[in-house]
Coordinates of all heavy atoms in Angstrom, one line a residue:
M1 N 72.0 -57.8 -81.4 CA 72.6 -56.6 -80.8 C 73.0 -55.6 -81.8 O 72.8 -54.4 -81.6 CB 73.8 -57.0 -79.9 CG 73.4 -57.8 -78.7 SD 74.7 -58.2 -77.5 CE 76.2 -58.0 -78.3
G2 N 73.5 -56.0 -82.9 CA 73.9 -55.1 -83.9 C 75.2 -54.4 -83.7 O 75.5 -53.5 -84.5
N3 N 75.9 -54.7 -82.7 CA 77.1 -54.0 -82.4 C 78.3 -54.9 -82.2 O 79.3 -54.6 -81.6 CB 77.0 -53.1 -81.1 CG 76.7 -53.9 -79.9 OD1 76.5 -55.1 -80.0 ND2 76.7 -53.3 -78.8
L4 N 78.3 -56.1 -82.9 CA 79.3 -57.0 -82.7 C 80.4 -56.8 -83.8 O 80.0 -56.9 -85.0 CB 78.7 -58.4 -82.9 CG 79.7 -59.6 -82.7 CD1 80.3 -59.6 -81.2 CD2 79.0 -60.9 -82.9
Q5 N 81.5 -56.4 -83.5 CA 82.6 -56.2 -84.4 C 83.3 -57.5 -84.8 O 83.6 -57.8 -85.9 CB 83.7 -55.2 -83.9 CG 83.2 -53.8 -84.0 CD 84.3 -52.8 -83.7 OE1 84.7 -52.2 -84.7 NE2 84.8 -52.7 -82.5
K6 N 83.6 -58.2 -83.7 CA 84.2 -59.5 -83.9 C 84.1 -60.3 -82.7 O 83.8 -59.8 -81.6 CB 85.7 -59.4 -84.3 CG 86.6 -58.8 -83.2 CD 88.0 -58.8 -83.6 CE 88.9 -58.4 -82.5 NZ 90.3 -58.5 -82.9
Y7 N 84.2 -61.6 -82.8 CA 84.2 -62.5 -81.7 C 85.3 -63.5 -82.0 O 85.1 -64.4 -82.9 CB 82.9 -63.2 -81.5 CG 82.9 -64.2 -80.3 CD1 82.9 -63.7 -79.0 CD2 82.9 -65.5 -80.6 CE1 83.0 -64.6 -78.0 CE2 83.0 -66.4 -79.5 CZ 83.0 -66.0 -78.2 OH 83.1 -66.9 -77.2
A8 N 86.4 -63.4 -81.4 CA 87.6 -64.3 -81.7 C 88.3 -63.8 -83.0 O 89.4 -63.6 -83.0 CB 87.2 -65.7 -81.7
D9 N 87.5 -63.7 -84.0 CA 88.1 -63.2 -85.3 C 87.0 -62.3 -85.9 O 85.9 -62.3 -85.5 CB 88.3 -64.4 -86.3 CG 89.5 -65.2 -85.8 OD1 90.6 -64.7 -85.5 OD2 89.3 -66.5 -85.8
P10 N 87.4 -61.5 -86.9 CA 86.4 -60.7 -87.6 C 85.3 -61.5 -88.2 O 85.6 -62.7 -88.6 CB 87.2 -59.9 -88.7 CG 88.6 -60.0 -88.2 CD 88.8 -61.3 -87.4
L11 N 84.1 -61.0 -88.2 CA 83.0 -61.7 -88.8 C 83.2 -61.8 -90.3 O 83.6 -60.9 -91.0 CB 81.7 -61.0 -88.5 CG 81.4 -60.9 -87.0 CD1 80.2 -60.0 -86.8 CD2 81.1 -62.3 -86.4
S12 N 82.9 -63.0 -90.9 CA 83.2 -63.2 -92.3 C 82.2 -62.7 -93.2 O 81.0 -62.4 -92.8 CB 83.3 -64.8 -92.5 OG 82.1 -65.4 -92.4
Y13 N 82.5 -62.6 -94.4 CA 81.6 -62.1 -95.5 C 80.4 -63.1 -95.5 O 79.3 -62.7 -95.6 CB 82.3 -62.0 -96.8 CG 81.3 -61.7 -98.0 CD1 80.9 -60.4 -98.2 CD2 80.9 -62.7 -98.8 CE1 80.1 -60.1 -99.2 CE2 80.0 -62.4 -99.8 CZ 79.6 -61.1 -100.0 OH 78.8 -60.8 -101.1
I14 N 80.7 -64.4 -95.4 CA 79.7 -65.4 -95.5 C 78.7 -65.3 -94.3 O 77.5 -65.4 -94.4 CB 80.3 -66.9 -95.4 CG1 81.1 -67.1 -96.7 CG2 79.3 -67.9 -95.2 CD1 81.9 -68.3 -96.8
W15 N 79.2 -64.9 -93.1 CA 78.3 -64.7 -92.0 C 77.4 -63.5 -92.2 O 76.2 -63.6 -92.0 CB 79.2 -64.5 -90.7 CG 78.3 -64.3 -89.5 CD1 77.8 -65.2 -88.6 CD2 77.8 -63.0 -89.0 NE1 77.1 -64.7 -87.6 CE2 77.0 -63.3 -87.8 CE3 77.9 -61.7 -89.4 CZ2 76.4 -62.3 -87.1 CZ3 77.3 -60.7 -88.7 CH2 76.5 -61.0 -87.5
H16 N 78.0 -62.4 -92.7 CA 77.1 -61.3 -93.0 C 76.1 -61.6 -94.1 O 74.9 -61.2 -93.9 CB 78.0 -60.1 -93.5 CG 78.8 -59.4 -92.5 ND1 78.2 -58.6 -91.6 CD2 80.1 -59.5 -92.1 CE1 79.1 -58.1 -90.7 NE2 80.2 -58.7 -91.1
Q17 N 76.4 -62.4 -95.1 CA 75.5 -62.7 -96.1 C 74.4 -63.7 -95.6 O 73.2 -63.5 -95.9 CB 76.2 -63.4 -97.3 CG 77.0 -62.4 -98.1 CD 76.1 -61.3 -98.7 OE1 75.0 -61.6 -99.2 NE2 76.5 -60.1 -98.5
S18 N 74.8 -64.6 -94.7 CA 73.8 -65.5 -94.1 C 72.8 -64.7 -93.2 O 71.6 -65.0 -93.2 CB 74.4 -66.6 -93.3 OG 75.1 -66.2 -92.2
Q19 N 73.3 -63.7 -92.5 CA 72.4 -62.9 -91.7 C 71.4 -62.1 -92.5 O 70.3 -61.9 -92.2 CB 73.2 -62.0 -90.8 CG 74.0 -62.8 -89.7 CD 73.1 -63.5 -88.8 OE1 72.3 -63.0 -88.1 NE2 73.3 -64.9 -88.8
F20 N 71.9 -61.6 -93.6 CA 71.1 -60.8 -94.6 C 70.0 -61.7 -95.2 O 68.9 -61.3 -95.2 CB 72.0 -60.2 -95.6 CG 71.3 -59.3 -96.6 CD1 70.6 -58.2 -96.2 CD2 71.3 -59.7 -98.0 CE1 69.9 -57.4 -97.1 CE2 70.6 -58.9 -98.9 CZ 69.9 -57.8 -98.5
Q21 N 70.4 -62.9 -95.6 CA 69.4 -63.8 -96.2 C 68.4 -64.2 -95.2 O 67.2 -64.3 -95.5 CB 70.1 -65.0 -96.8 CG 71.0 -64.7 -98.0 CD 70.3 -64.0 -99.1 OE1 69.2 -64.2 -99.4 NE2 71.0 -63.0 -99.7
L22 N 68.8 -64.4 -93.9 CA 67.8 -64.8 -92.9 C 66.9 -63.6 -92.6 O 65.7 -63.8 -92.5 CB 68.6 -65.2 -91.6 CG 67.7 -65.5 -90.4 CD1 66.8 -66.6 -90.6 CD2 68.6 -65.7 -89.2
A23 N 67.4 -62.4 -92.6 CA 66.6 -61.2 -92.3 C 65.5 -61.1 -93.4 O 64.4 -60.8 -93.2 CB 67.4 -60.0 -92.2
K24 N 65.9 -61.3 -94.7 CA 65.0 -61.2 -95.8 C 63.9 -62.3 -95.7 O 62.7 -62.0 -95.9 CB 65.7 -61.3 -97.1 CG 66.6 -60.1 -97.5 CD 67.0 -60.1 -98.9 CE 67.6 -61.3 -99.5 NZ 68.2 -61.1 -100.8
K25 N 64.2 -63.5 -95.2 CA 63.2 -64.5 -95.1 C 62.2 -64.2 -93.9 O 61.0 -64.4 -94.1 CB 63.9 -65.9 -94.7 CG 64.6 -66.5 -95.9 CD 65.3 -67.8 -95.5 CE 66.0 -68.4 -96.7 NZ 66.8 -69.6 -96.3
I26 N 62.8 -63.6 -92.9 CA 61.9 -63.2 -91.7 C 61.0 -62.1 -92.1 O 59.8 -62.2 -91.8 CB 62.8 -62.8 -90.5 CG1 63.5 -64.0 -90.0 CG2 61.9 -62.2 -89.4 CD1 64.6 -63.7 -88.9
I27 N 61.5 -61.1 -92.8 CA 60.6 -60.0 -93.3 C 59.6 -60.5 -94.2 O 58.4 -60.1 -94.2 CB 61.5 -58.9 -93.8 CG1 62.3 -58.2 -92.7 CG2 60.6 -57.8 -94.6 CD1 63.4 -57.3 -93.2
Q28 N 60.0 -61.4 -95.2 CA 59.0 -61.9 -96.1 C 57.9 -62.7 -95.4 O 56.7 -62.5 -95.7 CB 59.7 -62.8 -97.1 CG 58.7 -63.4 -98.2 CD 58.1 -62.3 -99.0 OE1 58.8 -61.5 -99.6 NE2 56.8 -62.2 -99.0
R29 N 58.2 -63.5 -94.4 CA 57.2 -64.2 -93.7 C 56.3 -63.3 -92.9 O 55.1 -63.5 -92.8 CB 57.9 -65.2 -92.7 CG 57.0 -66.1 -92.0 CD 56.2 -67.0 -92.9 NE 55.2 -67.8 -92.2 CZ 53.9 -67.8 -92.5 NH1 53.5 -67.2 -93.6 NH2 53.1 -68.5 -91.8
M30 N 56.9 -62.3 -92.3 CA 56.1 -61.3 -91.6 C 55.0 -60.6 -92.5 O 53.9 -60.5 -92.1 CB 57.0 -60.2 -90.9 CG 57.8 -60.7 -89.8 SD 59.0 -59.5 -89.2 CE 57.9 -58.4 -88.3
T31 N 55.5 -60.2 -93.7 CA 54.5 -59.5 -94.6 C 53.5 -60.5 -95.1 O 52.4 -60.2 -95.4 CB 55.3 -58.8 -95.7 OG1 56.1 -59.8 -96.4 CG2 56.1 -57.7 -95.2
D32 N 53.9 -61.8 -95.3 CA 53.0 -62.8 -95.7 C 51.8 -63.0 -94.8 O 50.7 -63.3 -95.2 CB 53.7 -64.2 -95.9 CG 54.7 -64.3 -97.1 OD1 54.6 -63.4 -97.9 OD2 55.5 -65.2 -97.1
I33 N 52.1 -62.8 -93.5 CA 51.0 -63.0 -92.5 C 50.4 -61.7 -92.1 O 49.6 -61.6 -91.1 CB 51.4 -63.9 -91.4 CG1 52.6 -63.3 -90.6 CG2 51.8 -65.3 -91.8 CD1 53.0 -64.0 -89.3
G34 N 50.7 -60.6 -92.8 CA 50.0 -59.3 -92.5 C 50.7 -58.4 -91.5 O 50.1 -57.5 -91.1
I35 N 51.9 -58.8 -91.1 CA 52.7 -57.9 -90.2 C 53.5 -56.9 -90.9 O 54.1 -57.2 -91.9 CB 53.6 -58.8 -89.3 CG1 52.8 -59.8 -88.5 CG2 54.5 -57.9 -88.4 CD1 53.7 -60.8 -87.7
I36 N 53.4 -55.7 -90.5 CA 54.2 -54.6 -91.1 C 55.5 -54.5 -90.3 O 55.5 -54.1 -89.1 CB 53.5 -53.2 -91.1 CG1 52.2 -53.3 -91.9 CG2 54.4 -52.1 -91.6 CD1 51.4 -52.1 -91.8
P37 N 56.6 -55.0 -90.9 CA 57.9 -55.0 -90.1 C 58.4 -53.5 -89.8 O 58.2 -52.6 -90.6 CB 58.9 -55.7 -91.0 CG 58.1 -56.3 -92.1 CD 56.8 -55.5 -92.2
V38 N 58.9 -53.3 -88.6 CA 59.5 -52.1 -88.2 C 61.0 -52.5 -87.9 O 61.2 -53.2 -87.0 CB 58.8 -51.4 -87.0 CG1 59.6 -50.2 -86.6 CG2 57.4 -51.1 -87.4
L39 N 61.9 -51.9 -88.7 CA 63.3 -52.3 -88.6 C 64.1 -51.2 -87.9 O 63.8 -50.0 -88.1 CB 63.9 -52.6 -89.9 CG 63.1 -53.7 -90.7 CD1 63.7 -53.8 -92.1 CD2 63.2 -55.0 -90.0
P40 N 65.1 -51.6 -87.1 CA 65.9 -50.5 -86.5 C 66.7 -49.9 -87.6 O 67.2 -50.5 -88.6 CB 66.8 -51.3 -85.6 CG 66.8 -52.7 -86.1 CD 65.5 -52.9 -86.8
A41 N 66.9 -48.6 -87.5 CA 67.7 -47.8 -88.5 C 69.1 -47.7 -88.1 O 70.0 -47.9 -89.0 CB 67.0 -46.5 -88.6
F42 N 69.4 -47.4 -86.9 CA 70.8 -47.2 -86.5 C 71.0 -47.4 -85.0 O 70.3 -46.8 -84.2 CB 71.2 -45.8 -86.9 CG 72.6 -45.4 -86.6 CD1 73.7 -46.1 -87.2 CD2 72.9 -44.4 -85.8 CE1 75.0 -45.7 -86.9 CE2 74.2 -44.0 -85.5 CZ 75.2 -44.7 -86.1
T43 N 71.9 -48.2 -84.7 CA 72.1 -48.5 -83.2 C 73.1 -47.5 -82.6 O 73.2 -47.5 -81.4 CB 72.7 -49.9 -83.1 OG1 74.0 -49.9 -83.7 CG2 71.8 -51.0 -83.6
G44 N 73.7 -46.7 -83.4 CA 74.7 -45.8 -82.8 C 76.1 -46.3 -82.8 O 77.0 -45.6 -82.5
F45 N 76.2 -47.6 -83.2 CA 77.5 -48.2 -83.3 C 78.2 -47.9 -84.6 O 77.6 -48.0 -85.6 CB 77.3 -49.7 -83.1 CG 78.5 -50.5 -83.3 CD1 79.5 -50.6 -82.3 CD2 78.8 -51.1 -84.5 CE1 80.6 -51.3 -82.5 CE2 79.9 -51.8 -84.7 CZ 80.9 -52.0 -83.7
M46 N 79.4 -47.5 -84.5 CA 80.2 -47.2 -85.8 C 81.4 -48.2 -85.8 O 82.2 -48.2 -84.8 CB 80.6 -45.8 -85.8 CG 79.5 -44.8 -85.9 SD 78.5 -45.0 -87.3 CE 79.5 -44.4 -88.6
P47 N 81.6 -48.9 -86.9 CA 82.8 -49.7 -87.0 C 84.1 -48.8 -86.9 O 84.0 -47.7 -87.3 CB 82.7 -50.4 -88.3 CG 81.3 -50.2 -88.7 CD 80.8 -49.0 -88.0
R48 N 85.1 -49.3 -86.4 CA 86.4 -48.5 -86.2 C 86.9 -48.1 -87.6 O 87.6 -47.1 -87.7 CB 87.4 -49.4 -85.5 CG 87.1 -49.6 -84.1 CD 88.2 -50.3 -83.3 NE 87.8 -50.5 -82.0 CZ 87.5 -51.7 -81.5 NH1 87.5 -52.8 -82.3 NH2 87.1 -51.8 -80.2
T49 N 86.6 -48.8 -88.7 CA 87.1 -48.5 -90.0 C 86.4 -47.3 -90.6 O 86.8 -46.8 -91.7 CB 87.0 -49.7 -90.9 OG1 85.7 -50.1 -91.0 CG2 87.9 -50.8 -90.4
V50 N 85.3 -46.8 -90.0 CA 84.5 -45.7 -90.6 C 85.4 -44.5 -90.9 O 85.1 -43.7 -91.8 CB 83.2 -45.4 -89.8 CG1 83.6 -44.6 -88.6 CG2 82.2 -44.7 -90.7
L51 N 86.3 -44.2 -90.0 CA 87.2 -43.0 -90.2 C 88.0 -43.1 -91.5 O 88.3 -42.0 -92.0 CB 88.1 -42.8 -89.0 CG 87.4 -42.3 -87.7 CD1 88.3 -42.3 -86.5 CD2 86.8 -40.9 -88.0
S52 N 88.3 -44.3 -92.0 CA 89.0 -44.3 -93.2 C 88.1 -43.9 -94.4 O 88.6 -43.5 -95.4 CB 89.5 -45.8 -93.5 OG 88.5 -46.7 -93.6
Y53 N 86.8 -44.0 -94.2 CA 85.9 -43.6 -95.3 C 85.4 -42.1 -95.1 O 85.1 -41.4 -96.0 CB 84.6 -44.4 -95.3 CG 84.9 -45.9 -95.6 CD1 85.1 -46.8 -94.7 CD2 85.1 -46.3 -97.0 CE1 85.3 -48.2 -95.0 CE2 85.3 -47.6 -97.3 CZ 85.5 -48.5 -96.3 OH 85.8 -49.8 -96.6
F54 N 85.4 -41.6 -93.9 CA 85.0 -40.3 -93.5 C 86.1 -39.6 -92.6 O 85.8 -39.4 -91.4 CB 83.6 -40.3 -92.9 CG 82.6 -40.9 -93.7 CD1 82.2 -42.2 -93.4 CD2 81.9 -40.2 -94.7 CE1 81.2 -42.8 -94.2 CE2 80.9 -40.8 -95.4 CZ 80.6 -42.1 -95.2
P55 N 87.2 -39.3 -93.2 CA 88.3 -38.8 -92.3 C 88.1 -37.5 -91.6 O 88.7 -37.2 -90.6 CB 89.5 -38.7 -93.3 CG 88.9 -38.7 -94.7 CD 87.6 -39.4 -94.6
S56 N 87.2 -36.7 -92.1 CA 86.9 -35.4 -91.4 C 85.8 -35.5 -90.4 O 85.5 -34.5 -89.8 CB 86.6 -34.3 -92.5 OG 85.4 -34.7 -93.2
A57 N 85.2 -36.7 -90.3 CA 84.1 -36.8 -89.3 C 84.6 -36.8 -87.9 O 85.7 -37.1 -87.6 CB 83.3 -38.1 -89.6
K58 N 83.7 -36.3 -87.0 CA 84.1 -36.2 -85.6 C 83.4 -37.4 -84.8 O 82.2 -37.5 -84.9 CB 83.7 -34.9 -85.0 CG 84.0 -34.7 -83.6 CD 83.5 -33.3 -83.1 CE 83.8 -33.1 -81.6 NZ 83.3 -31.8 -81.2
F59 N 84.2 -38.2 -84.2 CA 83.6 -39.3 -83.4 C 84.1 -39.2 -82.0 O 85.2 -38.8 -81.7 CB 84.0 -40.7 -84.0 CG 83.4 -41.0 -85.3 CD1 84.1 -40.6 -86.5 CD2 82.2 -41.6 -85.4 CE1 83.5 -40.9 -87.7 CE2 81.6 -41.8 -86.6 CZ 82.3 -41.5 -87.8
H60 N 83.2 -39.7 -81.1 CA 83.6 -39.7 -79.7 C 83.6 -41.2 -79.3 O 82.7 -41.9 -79.6 CB 82.5 -39.0 -78.8 CG 82.5 -37.6 -79.1 ND1 83.4 -36.7 -78.4 CD2 81.7 -36.8 -79.8 CE1 83.1 -35.5 -78.8 NE2 82.1 -35.5 -79.7
Y61 N 84.7 -41.6 -78.7 CA 84.8 -43.0 -78.2 C 84.5 -43.1 -76.8 O 85.1 -42.4 -76.0 CB 86.2 -43.5 -78.5 CG 86.5 -43.6 -80.0 CD1 87.2 -42.5 -80.6 CD2 86.0 -44.6 -80.8 CE1 87.4 -42.6 -82.0 CE2 86.3 -44.7 -82.1 CZ 86.9 -43.7 -82.7 OH 87.2 -43.7 -84.1
S62 N 83.6 -44.0 -76.4 CA 83.4 -44.2 -75.0 C 84.4 -45.2 -74.5 O 85.0 -45.9 -75.2 CB 82.0 -44.9 -74.8 OG 81.0 -44.0 -75.3
S63 N 84.5 -45.2 -73.2 CA 85.5 -46.1 -72.6 C 84.8 -47.5 -72.7 O 83.8 -47.7 -73.3 CB 85.7 -45.8 -71.1 OG 84.5 -45.7 -70.4
N64 N 85.4 -48.5 -72.0 CA 84.8 -49.8 -72.1 C 83.4 -49.8 -71.5 O 83.1 -48.9 -70.8 CB 85.8 -50.9 -71.5 CG 85.9 -50.7 -70.0 OD1 84.9 -50.4 -69.3 ND2 87.1 -50.9 -69.5
W65 N 82.7 -50.9 -71.8 CA 81.3 -50.9 -71.4 C 81.1 -50.8 -69.9 O 80.1 -50.1 -69.5 CB 80.7 -52.2 -71.9 CG 79.2 -52.2 -71.7 CD1 78.5 -52.9 -70.8 CD2 78.2 -51.5 -72.4 NE1 77.2 -52.7 -70.8 CE2 77.0 -51.8 -71.9 CE3 78.3 -50.6 -73.5 CZ2 75.8 -51.2 -72.3 CZ3 77.1 -50.0 -74.0 CH2 75.9 -50.4 -73.4
N66 N 81.9 -51.4 -69.1 CA 81.6 -51.3 -67.7 C 81.9 -49.9 -67.1 O 81.2 -49.5 -66.2 CB 82.6 -52.3 -67.0 CG 82.2 -53.7 -67.2 OD1 81.0 -54.0 -67.5 ND2 83.2 -54.6 -67.2
D67 N 82.7 -49.2 -67.7 CA 83.0 -47.8 -67.3 C 82.4 -46.8 -68.4 O 83.1 -45.9 -68.8 CB 84.5 -47.5 -67.2 CG 85.1 -48.4 -66.1 OD1 84.4 -48.6 -65.1 OD2 86.2 -48.9 -66.3
F68 N 81.2 -47.1 -68.8 CA 80.6 -46.3 -69.9 C 80.8 -44.8 -69.7 O 80.3 -44.3 -68.7 CB 79.1 -46.7 -70.0 CG 78.4 -46.0 -71.1 CD1 78.7 -46.3 -72.5 CD2 77.6 -44.9 -70.9 CE1 78.0 -45.7 -73.5 CE2 76.9 -44.3 -71.9 CZ 77.1 -44.6 -73.2
G69 N 81.5 -44.2 -70.7 CA 81.7 -42.8 -70.6 C 80.6 -42.0 -71.2 O 79.9 -42.5 -72.1
C70 N 80.3 -40.8 -70.8 CA 79.3 -40.0 -71.3 C 79.8 -38.7 -71.9 O 80.5 -37.9 -71.2 CB 78.3 -39.7 -70.2 SG 76.7 -39.2 -70.8
N71 N 79.6 -38.4 -73.2 CA 80.1 -37.2 -73.8 C 78.8 -36.5 -74.3 O 77.8 -36.6 -73.7 CB 81.1 -37.5 -74.9 CG 80.6 -38.6 -75.8 OD1 79.5 -38.6 -76.2 ND2 81.5 -39.5 -76.2
E72 N 78.9 -35.8 -75.5 CA 77.8 -35.1 -76.0 C 76.6 -36.0 -76.2 O 75.4 -35.6 -76.2 CB 78.1 -34.4 -77.3 CG 78.9 -33.1 -77.1 CD 80.4 -33.4 -77.5 OE1 80.8 -34.5 -77.7 OE2 81.1 -32.4 -77.6
S73 N 76.8 -37.3 -76.5 CA 75.7 -38.2 -76.8 C 74.8 -38.4 -75.6 O 73.7 -39.0 -75.8 CB 76.3 -39.5 -77.2 OG 77.0 -40.2 -76.2
C74 N 75.1 -37.9 -74.5 CA 74.2 -38.0 -73.3 C 73.4 -36.7 -73.1 O 72.6 -36.6 -72.1 CB 75.0 -38.3 -72.0 SG 75.8 -39.9 -72.1
E75 N 73.7 -35.6 -73.8 CA 73.1 -34.3 -73.6 C 71.8 -34.2 -74.4 O 71.8 -34.4 -75.6 CB 74.1 -33.2 -73.9 CG 75.3 -33.2 -73.0 CD 76.3 -32.2 -73.5 OE1 76.0 -31.3 -74.3 OE2 77.4 -32.3 -73.0
L76 N 70.7 -33.8 -73.8 CA 69.4 -33.8 -74.5 C 69.4 -32.8 -75.6 O 68.9 -33.1 -76.7 CB 68.3 -33.4 -73.5 CG 66.9 -33.5 -74.0 CD1 66.6 -34.8 -74.5 CD2 65.9 -33.1 -72.9
D77 N 70.0 -31.6 -75.5 CA 70.0 -30.7 -76.6 C 70.8 -31.2 -77.8 O 70.3 -31.1 -79.0 CB 70.7 -29.3 -76.2 CG 69.8 -28.6 -75.2 OD1 68.6 -28.8 -75.1 OD2 70.4 -27.7 -74.5
Y78 N 71.9 -31.9 -77.6 CA 72.7 -32.5 -78.6 C 71.8 -33.6 -79.3 O 71.7 -33.6 -80.6 CB 73.9 -33.1 -78.1 CG 74.7 -33.9 -79.0 CD1 75.6 -33.3 -80.0 CD2 74.7 -35.3 -79.0 CE1 76.3 -34.0 -80.9 CE2 75.4 -36.0 -80.0 CZ 76.2 -35.4 -80.9 OH 77.0 -36.1 -81.8
L79 N 71.2 -34.5 -78.6 CA 70.4 -35.5 -79.1 C 69.2 -35.0 -79.9 O 68.8 -35.5 -81.0 CB 69.9 -36.5 -78.0 CG 71.0 -37.3 -77.3 CD1 70.4 -38.1 -76.2 CD2 71.7 -38.2 -78.3
T80 N 68.6 -33.9 -79.4 CA 67.4 -33.3 -80.1 C 67.9 -32.8 -81.5 O 67.2 -33.0 -82.5 CB 66.8 -32.2 -79.3 OG1 66.4 -32.7 -78.0 CG2 65.7 -31.5 -79.9
A81 N 69.0 -32.1 -81.5 CA 69.5 -31.5 -82.8 C 69.8 -32.6 -83.8 O 69.5 -32.5 -85.0 CB 70.7 -30.6 -82.5
I82 N 70.5 -33.6 -83.3 CA 70.9 -34.8 -84.2 C 69.6 -35.4 -84.7 O 69.5 -35.7 -85.9 CB 71.8 -35.8 -83.4 CG1 73.1 -35.1 -83.1 CG2 71.9 -37.0 -84.2 CD1 73.9 -34.7 -84.3
N83 N 68.6 -35.7 -83.9 CA 67.4 -36.4 -84.3 C 66.7 -35.5 -85.3 O 66.1 -36.1 -86.3 CB 66.5 -36.7 -83.1 CG 67.1 -37.9 -82.3 OD1 67.8 -38.7 -82.8 ND2 66.7 -37.9 -81.0
A84 N 66.6 -34.2 -85.1 CA 65.9 -33.4 -86.1 C 66.6 -33.4 -87.4 O 65.9 -33.5 -88.5 CB 65.9 -31.9 -85.5
A85 N 67.9 -33.4 -87.4 CA 68.7 -33.5 -88.7 C 68.4 -34.8 -89.4 O 68.3 -34.9 -90.6 CB 70.2 -33.3 -88.4
I86 N 68.4 -35.9 -88.7 CA 68.2 -37.2 -89.3 C 66.8 -37.3 -89.9 O 66.6 -37.8 -91.0 CB 68.4 -38.3 -88.2 CG1 69.9 -38.4 -87.8 CG2 67.9 -39.7 -88.7 CD1 70.2 -39.3 -86.6
I87 N 65.8 -36.8 -89.1 CA 64.4 -36.9 -89.7 C 64.3 -36.0 -90.9 O 63.6 -36.4 -91.9 CB 63.4 -36.4 -88.6 CG1 63.3 -37.5 -87.5 CG2 62.0 -36.1 -89.2 CD1 62.5 -37.2 -86.3
Q88 N 64.9 -34.8 -90.9 CA 64.9 -34.0 -92.1 C 65.5 -34.7 -93.3 O 64.9 -34.7 -94.4 CB 65.6 -32.7 -91.8 CG 65.6 -31.7 -93.0 CD 66.4 -30.4 -92.7 OE1 67.1 -30.3 -91.7 NE2 66.2 -29.5 -93.6
I89 N 66.6 -35.4 -93.1 CA 67.2 -36.1 -94.2 C 66.3 -37.3 -94.7 O 66.1 -37.5 -95.9 CB 68.6 -36.7 -93.8 CG1 69.6 -35.5 -93.7 CG2 69.1 -37.7 -94.8 CD1 70.9 -35.9 -93.0
M90 N 65.7 -38.0 -93.7 CA 64.9 -39.1 -94.1 C 63.6 -38.6 -94.9 O 63.2 -39.2 -95.9 CB 64.4 -39.9 -92.9 CG 65.6 -40.6 -92.2 SD 65.2 -41.8 -90.9 CE 64.1 -40.9 -89.9
Q91 N 63.1 -37.5 -94.5 CA 61.9 -37.0 -95.2 C 62.3 -36.5 -96.6 O 61.5 -36.6 -97.5 CB 61.3 -35.8 -94.4 CG 60.6 -36.3 -93.1 CD 60.2 -35.1 -92.3 OE1 60.7 -34.0 -92.3 NE2 59.2 -35.4 -91.4
T92 N 63.5 -36.0 -96.8 CA 64.0 -35.6 -98.1 C 64.1 -36.9 -99.0 O 63.8 -36.8 -100.2 CB 65.4 -35.0 -98.0 OG1 65.3 -33.9 -97.1 CG2 65.9 -34.6 -99.3
L93 N 64.4 -38.0 -98.4 CA 64.6 -39.2 -99.2 C 63.2 -39.8 -99.6 O 63.1 -40.3 -100.7 CB 65.4 -40.3 -98.4 CG 66.8 -39.9 -98.2 CD1 67.5 -40.9 -97.2 CD2 67.6 -39.8 -99.5
D94 N 62.2 -39.7 -98.7 CA 60.9 -40.3 -99.0 C 59.8 -39.6 -98.2 O 59.6 -39.8 -97.1 CB 60.9 -41.8 -98.6 CG 59.7 -42.5 -99.0 OD1 58.7 -41.8 -99.5 OD2 59.6 -43.7 -99.0
L95 N 59.2 -38.6 -98.9 CA 58.1 -37.8 -98.3 C 56.9 -38.6 -97.9 O 56.2 -38.2 -97.0 CB 57.7 -36.7 -99.2 CG 58.7 -35.6 -99.5 CD1 58.2 -34.7 -100.6 CD2 59.0 -34.9 -98.2
N96 N 56.7 -39.8 -98.5 CA 55.5 -40.6 -98.2 C 55.7 -41.6 -97.1 O 54.8 -42.2 -96.6 CB 55.1 -41.4 -99.5 CG 54.6 -40.4 -100.6 OD1 54.0 -39.4 -100.3 ND2 55.0 -40.7 -101.8
A97 N 56.9 -41.7 -96.6 CA 57.2 -42.7 -95.6 C 56.7 -42.1 -94.2 O 56.6 -40.9 -94.1 CB 58.7 -43.0 -95.5
V98 N 56.4 -42.9 -93.3 CA 56.0 -42.5 -92.0 C 57.2 -42.6 -91.1 O 57.8 -43.6 -90.8 CB 54.9 -43.4 -91.4 CG1 54.5 -43.0 -90.0 CG2 53.7 -43.4 -92.3
W99 N 57.7 -41.4 -90.7 CA 58.9 -41.4 -89.8 C 58.4 -41.1 -88.4 O 58.9 -40.9 -87.5 CB 59.9 -40.3 -90.3 CG 60.3 -40.5 -91.7 CD1 60.0 -39.7 -92.8 CD2 61.1 -41.5 -92.3 NE1 60.5 -40.1 -93.9 CE2 61.2 -41.3 -93.7 CE3 61.7 -42.6 -91.8 CZ2 62.0 -42.1 -94.5 CZ3 62.4 -43.4 -92.6 CH2 62.6 -43.2 -94.0

C-alpha cells in the first residue's frame, strides 16, 4: 500500500531495511529474467513529520478514510499543474529517462 504509518507501534528501522532489501531482490530477479521494472514514484501519502522538515510547505489533510474529504487534490486543473511541474523536474534530473 505504501501508506502505512504504523500498526500498533511505529514501524521499526529493521522493518524498513528488510522491505528495502526484499525490494532490491525482487527488482534484481525481474531484470535477470528480462523484465523492466516500473516502480511507483509517489503515492501522495506524506508522513506527519514532513512538516518538521518543510515548515513552509502547504499540506491539506483529508478526514478519515470513510469520510474521505476532497480539497484541491480533486480538481483537474490543480492536478494538471502539479503533474506538469513534477514531469519538468524529473526531466531536469534525467533527460534520457522515459517519463
Side-chain angles (χ1 to χ4, degrees):
M1 289 185 343
N3 63 353
L4 185 62
Q5 287 192 105
K6 68 179 188 174
Y7 178 75
D9 288 312
L11 298 172
S12 69
Y13 176 79
I14 293 170
W15 182 88
H16 285 284
Q17 287 301 312
S18 68
Q19 294 299 297
F20 181 62
Q21 295 304 322
L22 177 60
K24 290 195 310 187
K25 288 178 183 178
I26 292 169
I27 292 168
Q28 182 61 55
R29 183 65 183 128
M30 290 172 74
T31 56
D32 288 347
I33 61 174
I35 298 172
I36 299 172
V38 176
L39 304 175
F42 181 61
T43 61
F45 173 80
M46 297 300 290
R48 291 184 183 107
T49 58
V50 76
L51 285 173
S52 63
Y53 296 98
F54 302 98
S56 63
K58 180 180 177 183
F59 290 93
H60 294 277
Y61 295 97
S62 296
S63 60
N64 67 40
W65 185 256
N66 292 330
D67 299 321
F68 181 73
C70 198
N71 50 43
E72 285 104 348
S73 64
C74 297
E75 297 174 13
L76 186 57
D77 290 339
Y78 174 80
L79 293 174
T80 301
I82 293 296
N83 287 333
I86 291 170
I87 289 173
Q88 182 180 11
I89 291 169
M90 291 189 314
Q91 288 172 337
T92 301
L93 295 173
D94 187 350
L95 291 174
N96 296 321
V98 177
W99 305 111

